[in-house]
Amino acid sequence: MKKLLIMCGTGVATSTIVTNKVKEWLRGKGLTDEVKLYQSKIADEMKRIDDYDIIVSTTVVPDSIKDKVIMGLPLLTGFGTEEMYAEIERKIRE
């Protein structure tokens, strides 16, 4: 089972919106049994970032972890969602 972290600046509003959309998408793809979702704020996760297989963020992340992070802004703007979901699915199936 893959660990998927969804994080934002405060771990409250924005990450909740994204988490709900990702949950719905996972259900639609039949992937809910393959992923454990976590939600948090970036400040709490920087020391544990390697504990997760997939990271979706709606906030700016340090350069040191950019290669590990999928930007979740498409779920807020509506632009680029298909590409973002495709990247998440690819990482789930790796």
Side-chain angles (χ1 to χ4, degrees):
M1 180 170 285
K2 300 282 183 159
K3 293 179 179 178
L4 192 160
L5 169 66
I6 297 172
M7 63 183 183
C8 68
T10 63
V12 183
T14 306
S15 60
T16 299
I17 292 167
V18 172
T19 297
N20 289 334
K21 289 182 178 189
V22 170
K23 278 181 186 177
E24 183 179 318
W25 175 79
L26 289 168
R27 272 194 297 275
K29 293 295 256 181
L31 296 170
T32 52
D33 292 339
E34 297 184 41
V35 178
K36 171 98 172 130
L37 282 177
Y38 299 86
Q39 178 181 338
S40 189
K41 61 183 172 185
I42 190 168
D44 289 348
E45 298 302 327
M46 286 306 299
K47 292 182 182 172
R48 297 188 298 256
I49 212 75
D50 290 330
D51 293 348
Y52 301 100
D53 302 299
I54 306 162
I55 303 158
V56 175
S57 178
T58 61
T59 191
V60 176
V61 298
D63 288 340
S64 61
I65 66 165
K66 277 191 177 180
D67 62 327
K68 301 177 184 185
V69 175
I70 298 168
M71 288 311 295
L73 292 177
L75 291 176
L76 301 174
T77 65
F79 298 103
T81 56
E82 290 179 26
E83 295 85 357
M84 189 211 67
Y85 280 137
E87 189 174 356
I88 294 172
E89 185 171 4
R90 182 182 56 77
K91 289 184 179 273
I92 291 170
R93 297 188 187 281
E94 285 181 343

